[in-house]
Amino acid sequence: SRFADQHTNNHSGNLSVNYNYPVSKKIRAEITIDSRFSSNNEFLKTFDRNPTTDVYDIFLANQSSDLTRQIFTQSLTPQFNYQLNPKYTFKLGLNTTYQNVKNKFNSKVNDINKTYLNLFPTLEVNGPGFSLNYRKNLELPSIWQIQPIENVYNQVSKYIGNPELEAGKSHIMSARIYKNFPRKQINFNVYSSLTLSENNVVPRNLI
């Protein structure tokens, strides 16, 4: 048997600027510039049991890891807001996102650095008592899923990541229905969402 000591540290920050400009009485242009940074560290120490002392003090360097992922994201989203009438509005946009992803394995394994540039549409519809939304996102495989290091848990259980994994994409659709009754002081709110994913990461078991 083995003992694993695992810790995770996460840090993130972002800066966003939004600008609105009325093109006409019914059309308003909107642009959002967003800059984000995130850092994730997964630290794992693995020990074997010492048969002499019955203490887990035999450090296994090849089964331990110090994984660090840093993501720099820059996005530019121009949108047009069209007011059909006082009750209905439509918002259509295009999200342009650039991502620089640095994966450090802090071992004899080479780092894996990748960049992504994507253009994803956004759509929002608002009406009396309801709203509909659609957006598309990039789904990155975790650093644990791409690490090319074999982790042995026991004689029959092993895990190794695939550094060739590609990022997936997700289509996110949501709907919200709401109603207020001021006289009765009652608020009614229902929210639902559906996510469709492309190129999911599926683990494979070998016996």
Side-chain angles (χ1 to χ4, degrees), residues 72-164:
F72 299 87
T73 304
Q74 310 290 328
S75 66
L76 175 67
T77 308
Q79 298 182 100
F80 285 95
N81 193 324
Y82 176 68
Q83 185 172 7
L84 180 64
N85 55 47
K87 293 184 178 181
Y88 293 90
T89 59
F90 299 86
K91 183 183 289 188
L92 181 64
L94 183 65
N95 176 253
T96 304
T97 301
Y98 171 79
Q99 284 185 312
N100 184 1
V101 183
K102 297 181 179 180
N103 299 290
K104 298 181 180 181
F105 300 101
N106 297 306
S107 64
K108 297 180 180 180
V109 178
N110 293 331
D111 296 344
I112 298 178
N113 300 324
K114 291 188 176 183
T115 58
Y116 302 90
L117 179 62
N118 292 282
L119 283 78
F120 293 146
T122 63
L123 175 64
E124 181 179 336
V125 179
N126 291 285
F130 77 91
S131 64
L132 303 173
N133 291 271
Y134 167 80
R135 71 180 188 273
K136 191 175 180 180
N137 288 342
L138 186 71
E139 301 290 342
L140 299 175
S142 70
I143 189 172
W144 183 262
Q145 292 171 327
I146 66 172
Q147 66 159 340
I149 303 170
E150 185 179 64
N151 289 277
V152 181
Y153 302 114
N154 52 54
Q155 294 181 349
V156 296
S157 180
K158 302 178 182 179
Y159 180 88
I160 184 170
N162 180 6
E164 302 299 324

Side-chain angles (χ1 to χ4, degrees), residues 23-206:
V23 178
S24 65
K25 291 183 178 180
K26 290 192 173 184
I27 300 176
R28 188 176 75 252
E30 179 180 336
I31 185 168
T32 302
I33 302 174
D34 189 77
S35 179
R36 301 188 300 275
F37 168 77
S38 65
S39 177
N40 173 262
N41 177 252
E42 297 183 18
F43 185 71
L44 172 67
K45 281 186 176 182
T46 306
F47 301 86
D48 251 346
R49 184 174 64 86
N50 190 325
T52 303
T53 62
D54 202 31
V55 177
Y56 291 90
D57 58 2
I58 302 177
F59 178 66
L60 302 176
N62 63 339
Q63 296 300 302
S64 302
S65 59
D66 185 6
L67 310 179
T68 301
R69 166 173 284 184
Q70 295 179 336
I71 303 178
F72 299 87
T73 304
Q74 310 290 328
S75 66
L76 175 67
T77 308
Q79 298 182 100
F80 285 95
N81 193 324
Y82 176 68
Q83 185 172 7
L84 180 64
N85 55 47
K87 293 184 178 181
Y88 293 90
T89 59
F90 299 86
K91 183 183 289 188
L92 181 64
L94 183 65
N95 176 253
T96 304
T97 301
Y98 171 79
Q99 284 185 312
N100 184 1
V101 183
K102 297 181 179 180
N103 299 290
K104 298 181 180 181
F105 300 101
N106 297 306
S107 64
K108 297 180 180 180
V109 178
N110 293 331
D111 296 344
I112 298 178
N113 300 324
K114 291 188 176 183
T115 58
Y116 302 90
L117 179 62
N118 292 282
L119 283 78
F120 293 146
T122 63
L123 175 64
E124 181 179 336
V125 179
N126 291 285
F130 77 91
S131 64
L132 303 173
N133 291 271
Y134 167 80
R135 71 180 188 273
K136 191 175 180 180
N137 288 342
L138 186 71
E139 301 290 342
L140 299 175
S142 70
I143 189 172
W144 183 262
Q145 292 171 327
I146 66 172
Q147 66 159 340
I149 303 170
E150 185 179 64
N151 289 277
V152 181
Y153 302 114
N154 52 54
Q155 294 181 349
V156 296
S157 180
K158 302 178 182 179
Y159 180 88
I160 184 170
N162 180 6
E164 302 299 324
L165 286 177
E166 297 293 336
K169 295 179 176 64
S170 61
H171 303 263
I172 303 172
M173 293 155 281
S174 63
R176 178 174 173 246
I177 301 174
Y178 53 91
K179 182 68 175 179
N180 297 324
F181 302 92
R183 293 183 179 180
K184 297 182 179 180
Q185 296 184 345
I186 297 176
N187 296 323
F188 176 78
N189 196 330
V190 176
Y191 176 83
S192 179
S193 66
L194 173 67
T195 300
L196 302 177
S197 299
E198 302 176 22
N199 194 33
N200 286 339
V201 176
V202 180
R204 183 175 63 175
N205 296 321
L206 298 177

